Amino acid sequence: MWIAKIVLKHDCILGNRCEKFKVILQSLDLNEREEKENILTSSMHMLIGEKKNITIFFKDLKKDKRLVHAELNGNTLFLIDKAKKKPVSKFMKNRIFTIKPVIIDLHGYEHWEISSYKKEDLMKFICEVKPLMDEFELLSIKNTNLQNIYFPKLMPDLTDLQKFALELAVKEGY
């Protein structure tokens, strides 16, 4: 299996707010559909940061015209947003998938780990997406045995200490 690690930045309903309000997101896109002239994307996110920052992040998000629906329960955000185009997801085909949640860091950079059984599919994805981003860096691409794939439980029941440990791990880059 081929695995690519990439970091990118673009005008994003979430990434811009991560930078502005100092919040980190652990994100998972659920599905997309076309409606009229827009692409609607539903997604789940675990917000990591100070409670006051998460609160103002969410209040500001609710003012965005691209927002269709949002629910915040503790640190878990369910979101449906709309856009005329989705530069990254447009190229995610059946042969390419994420193997870990996307992390959006404090500076609005998205950290992706994507995989395919064909290196050519990953290279095509990289070549087509890179020009559409404000910033794009390919950190690595390698052929390896696929050992860990993220299988989400959308609403994990974690103790406060477990949540703290997970948040600390994400902040430290694990």
Side-chain angles (χ1 to χ4, degrees), residues 59-102:
K59 284 181 182 177
D60 190 67
L61 176 66
K62 289 177 21 179
K63 298 175 191 173
D64 197 301
K65 293 178 182 175
R66 298 172 286 184
L67 182 69
V68 175
H69 180 80
E71 295 178 27
L72 182 64
N73 182 6
N75 287 16
T76 303
L77 171 66
F78 173 75
L79 173 74
I80 301 174
D81 67 291
K82 64 181 176 182
K84 296 291 181 197
K85 59 182 180 175
K86 292 279 187 165
V88 173
S89 59
K90 173 183 173 182
F91 299 102
M92 296 293 282
K93 304 292 181 200
N94 292 334
R95 292 185 283 205
I96 297 177
F97 56 94
T98 56
I99 58 172
K100 292 185 180 179
V102 173

Side-chain angles (χ1 to χ4, degrees), residues 95-158:
R95 292 185 283 205
I96 297 177
F97 56 94
T98 56
I99 58 172
K100 292 185 180 179
V102 173
I103 302 294
I104 307 175
D105 68 23
L106 293 172
H107 304 289
Y109 287 91
E110 299 179 16
H111 300 259
W112 290 68
E113 288 193 39
I114 56 175
S115 185
S116 178
Y117 65 94
K118 291 175 66 177
K119 183 178 182 180
E120 297 79 24
D121 290 336
L122 288 177
M123 296 309 298
K124 182 176 181 186
F125 172 87
I126 291 163
C127 289
E128 291 180 356
V129 169
K130 185 177 181 177
L132 302 174
M133 298 295 117
D134 297 329
E135 297 181 47
F136 186 100
E137 182 179 359
L138 173 62
L139 301 176
S140 67
I141 187 165
K142 61 184 176 180
N143 191 4
T144 185
N145 293 330
L146 191 58
Q147 296 175 6
N148 296 318
I149 298 177
Y150 177 74
F151 287 101
K153 179 179 179 194
L154 296 179
M155 300 293 283
D157 297 321
L158 301 175

Side-chain angles (χ1 to χ4, degrees), residues 26-43:
Q26 193 173 17
S27 303
L28 178 67
D29 281 351
L30 301 174
N31 64 33
E32 281 187 3
R33 70 179 191 277
E34 289 186 34
E35 188 173 287
K36 300 180 183 175
E37 297 178 8
N38 292 305
I39 299 170
L40 274 63
T41 304
S42 62
S43 52

Side-chain angles (χ1 to χ4, degrees), residues 6-26:
I6 58 175
V7 176
L8 56 90
K9 190 170 187 177
H10 61 106
D11 182 25
C12 173
I13 189 171
L14 297 171
N16 297 346
R17 285 178 174 80
C18 285
E19 186 171 22
K20 183 176 181 180
F21 300 111
K22 301 303 176 207
V23 172
I24 297 171
L25 294 182
Q26 193 173 17

